[in-house]
Structure formats: C-alpha cells, structure tokens
Amino acid sequence: MSASQTPASQTPVSGTPVSGTPASGTSEVPTLLVKIFGRDRPGITAGLFDTLAAFLVDVVDIEQVVTRGRLVLCVLVTQPPAGLEGDLRATVHSWAESMKMQAEIISGHGDNRPRGLGRSLVTVLGHPLTAESTAAVAARIAKAGGNIDRIFRLAKYPVTAVEFAVSGVETEPLRTALASDAAALGVDIAVVSAGLHRRAQRLVVMDVDSTLIQDEVIELFAAHAGCEDQVAEVTAAAMRGELDFEQSLHARVALLKGLDASVVDKVREQVRLTPGARTLIRTLKRLGYQVGVVSGGFTQVTDDLQERLGLDFAQANTLEIVDGKLTGRVTGEIVDRAGKARLLRRFAAEAGVPLAQTVAIGDGANDLDMLNAAGLGVAFNAKPVVREAAHTAVNFPFLDTVLYLLGVTREEVEAADTHDEG
C-alpha cells in the first residue's frame, strides 16, 4: 500500500472527521485489506467497489498498479457491520473468480503506520537499470535509516528512471550516503526533499557550452582564426579548474584579434544543441518554469539562442567589435565562476523565485559556485571535480533527462507534445 496517505491517527475511519482531533483508539478500528490481482481490463476497479458497496464499508486507502498488463489493486476498508464479514469475503472471492482474477483478504486494525520524519524523493537513472544496482540503492537507503514507501517509474527510454519515496531520514544525509555509490553502480542518483515545493514555480538556469549546446563557442571562433588547438588546450585547463577563468578568457579572446565580424553568423550556424535541449526547455515552459542561461561564452551566440528557444534570461561575455573586426577583447561585466552564481541570484530575484526553488545545470569548474548556490545543482556530463561537488550528476547525453529529476514522466512529456501537434 502507498504510504502517501493520511496518517492513521487522522484517517476518517468509522465516522471520524478529517479535521479536529480524532477519537481515541481510531488506529485500533478493525479494517480489511482487500487485494485483487490478475490480467488488467476495463471494469475491474468499478466491479470490486460495486461488490464492496453492498456491505456498507468505508474506503480508507486505495493503491492500484499495472505492470505489463497485470493489475494489482489494494483497497483498505473498514470492517463491515457485525455478522457480514464472512459474506463479504465469500462474495469478493466469488466475484474475483467470475472475473478470472485472484483475491486475498487480510484482517487487521487501523491504517498504515505513520511515515517517519524526513521525506525525500530519490530518482535513479540507469541505462540499463540493473537488478544489482537497484538492490544496492535500496540497501543503502535502509542502511541510512530510510524506509522506501513507494517506487514509481518515470521513464523507460532513453534511460530507465525510477523514483523512490523515502521517509525516516533527512534529505542531506541520504544524499551524501547515495552520492558515493552512484558512480560505482553505473547509475545517476538525485535526492531532493519531498513536499509541495516540488510543484511550485521554479527557475532553471543552465550553462551553455557543453551543456545546452555540444560545442565550446570560443573554439568555433578559434577554428576560423586558425588557433583552435591553442584555445582548446587553455579551455580544457580552465574547465578542470587548473587556470583562473578570467585570465584564460582574456588569453583566448586575444587570439581572435582581427577576425572579421561576419564570422559571428557562421559560428551561430555551427552551434549544435545538445540532444533533448529543445524538449527540456519546451516542457519546462509548459510547466510554468522560467528558464535562463549564463555563459562564459559570448552574447553574440547566447542572444541568438535566447530568441530561438524562448529563454527568459541570458547573460554572457561580449566580444568587442570595432570597424567590423574582433579586437581580441571583451567588454562589460565578466561572467566567470563567481559571476554565474551572482547571475543565478539575480535571475531568481527578478523571477520572484526563492533560491531554494532554483535548479542549476553545468559541466565545468566555473559552474561550481552556481551549482552549489542553487536548490538543486546538476552536473551534466561533467568533469570529475564537478561531479563530486554537485548535488547530483547526469552522465547520459540527453539533456531532457533532467526532467526526471523534477518528477516529470516521459509519458507527460509525450502527451504534451501530442496535444500541441493536435
């Protein structure tokens, strides 16, 4: 049964009101757990409740699951009036047999036990998701003191994504416990606090180079200047955290001096969006989220991306152009590691979204301050130093897998797309 129900002490069994203080001993009210399982088809649920209705029982909890065409329906009801339980059992079994289903009825008292303090949602992504890795995740949750109350599949492709509802342990220690196992198990694991905030309006801010797009923009410019290898070497060192970003930026941009400004249009045409980028942004916007980008790259590209993708916010460095030529300098405020975190806070304030409700996505060392400042920091196909420091990591080449970390299912994404096409 699901543990997402009202705690036993508040469940309106046997006439107990939802509001106010329940009568003493409510948790000891006799109840019956009715389980039906077999081949799924229309009318099973209606038929069961029609059968139960004749015995004047109240419904306390319901859980229904269908897996590969097989139905498991669990209903917790109050005990029928005196003398009718035997008839109820016989009638339910007879009905189930007529439907070619199986039935099991278990006597007990009260509702499910209340969930423990600390509520978290653990999302596990695998390609494939093996029984071995699933066993290890479940064991680690138990070792941390958590109880798995429910498991739900979010997606079956391009990765398998499942969500565990966990109680009994606070989010941060559970996240720490699971983070160390993820890489060794070959899965990605995200742990977030459960609650209403997950459905609230949120802000998602992404890095651009090697996150929203597959390219490093400065390297695209460098290819036109004939200095691609030199720039790539400096870029890699900066992303690993071995060089100060601002110094490396000035050094790389200096190599572009003299390039004709017409190169900007050529670079824009060369930019390749990361697989799933459009789906991620389109779905987030449908959910009412605001979406922005911050980049150590250049406004000459991010402004174009903002217009094409309908982004709410965009900020990057600006290449200086004088007399139709790149000067080898940048102008305005430098967007570096600290600048990205500062912009995340600025965007959140402008969007009216608490910082705790923000999601940041990035791949490089210069994204770390932003990832740590956000309510959820996602390292996307990131360097080791970033994976180790972020709240969670996604190591699959599809940007829309981030949706699963937010509790969005693949079916919901596809249904929205179908609705738009119609």
Side-chain angles (χ1 to χ4, degrees), residues 93 109 111 118 139 150 165 168 176 311 332 372 380:
H93 280 287
H109 289 84
D111 199 338
R150 189 180 183 189
T176 300
L311 301 173
N372 290 328
F380 180 73

Side-chain angles (χ1 to χ4, degrees), residues 328-342:
R329 296 187 296 269
V330 292
T331 63
E333 178 184 5
I334 296 296
V335 180
D336 55 8
R337 176 169 169 167
K340 288 188 174 185
R342 185 169 58 252

Side-chain angles (χ1 to χ4, degrees), residues 54-346:
F55 296 92
L56 305 177
V57 296
D58 295 332
V59 177
V60 178
D61 194 11
I62 308 171
E63 181 90 6
Q64 179 171 305
V65 177
V66 177
T67 304
R68 209 181 66 181
R70 306 296 291 183
L71 168 76
V72 178
L73 171 59
C74 295
V75 181
L76 188 64
V77 298
T78 54
Q79 191 178 59
L84 293 182
E85 182 176 334
D87 289 343
L88 180 150
R89 288 175 175 269
T91 303
V92 169
H93 280 287
S94 177
W95 168 82
E97 185 176 349
S98 73
M99 301 298 292
K100 295 183 169 45
M101 306 288 285
Q102 292 179 278
E104 182 180 4
I105 302 175
I106 304 171
S107 299
H109 289 84
D111 199 338
N112 298 315
R113 61 185 175 84
R115 295 176 65 186
L117 296 177
R119 311 283 175 85
S120 300
L121 297 171
V122 178
T123 306
V124 181
L125 309 179
H127 185 63
L129 180 61
T130 66
E132 179 182 12
S133 60
T134 306
V137 169
R140 174 60 74 177
I141 291 172
K143 186 176 181 180
N147 184 70
I148 299 172
D149 301 314
R150 189 180 183 189
I151 305 174
F152 177 73
R153 187 178 73 179
L154 296 168
K156 60 183 178 181
Y157 74 91
V159 300
T160 301
V162 294
E163 180 179 272
F164 295 76
V166 177
S167 62
V169 60
E170 295 298 330
T171 299
E172 284 305 321
L174 181 60
R175 178 184 287 161
T176 300
L178 289 169
S180 59
D181 291 345
L185 294 173
V187 296
D188 293 336
I189 302 175
V191 183
V192 298
S193 178
L196 290 175
H197 68 274
R198 203 183 196 197
R199 301 182 182 91
Q201 184 187 47
R202 301 176 82 170
L203 168 70
V204 177
V205 176
M206 289 175 276
D207 173 44
V208 175
D209 294 6
S210 299
T211 300
L212 177 63
I213 66 174
Q214 300 177 60
D215 312 282
E216 290 288 334
V217 169
I218 196 166
E219 293 178 12
L220 297 180
F221 277 101
H224 291 281
C227 56
E228 186 176 10
D229 291 343
Q230 295 168 266
V231 166
E233 184 178 344
V234 177
T235 298
M239 292 301 99
R240 292 192 300 266
E242 298 170 2
L243 293 177
D244 173 81
F245 178 81
E246 184 171 351
Q247 291 179 336
S248 71
L249 175 67
H250 289 304
R252 288 175 290 172
V253 171
L255 296 171
L256 307 181
K257 183 177 180 180
L259 266 182
D260 193 271
S262 62
V263 167
V264 169
D265 290 332
K266 296 177 182 178
V267 168
R268 286 176 174 175
E269 293 174 359
Q270 290 178 283
V271 165
R272 300 166 300 161
L273 291 174
T274 298
R278 288 187 182 276
T279 299
L280 172 67
I281 295 170
R282 182 172 63 245
T283 304
L284 290 173
K285 298 292 286 182
R286 287 173 181 155
L287 291 171
Y289 286 36
Q290 296 189 61
V291 185
V293 294
V294 291
S295 176
F298 310 110
T299 57
Q300 280 83 359
V301 171
T302 58
D303 287 351
D304 180 61
L305 290 171
Q306 182 176 18
E307 182 178 352
R308 286 166 51 196
L309 300 174
L311 301 173
D312 298 285
F313 305 98
Q315 188 70 44
N317 300 301
T318 299
L319 291 169
E320 184 180 62
I321 299 175
V322 176
D323 296 330
K325 302 287 184 179
L326 274 64
T327 66
R329 296 187 296 269
V330 292
T331 63
E333 178 184 5
I334 296 296
V335 180
D336 55 8
R337 176 169 169 167
K340 288 188 174 185
R342 185 169 58 252
L343 288 164
L344 172 70
R345 294 185 176 92
R346 182 192 303 173

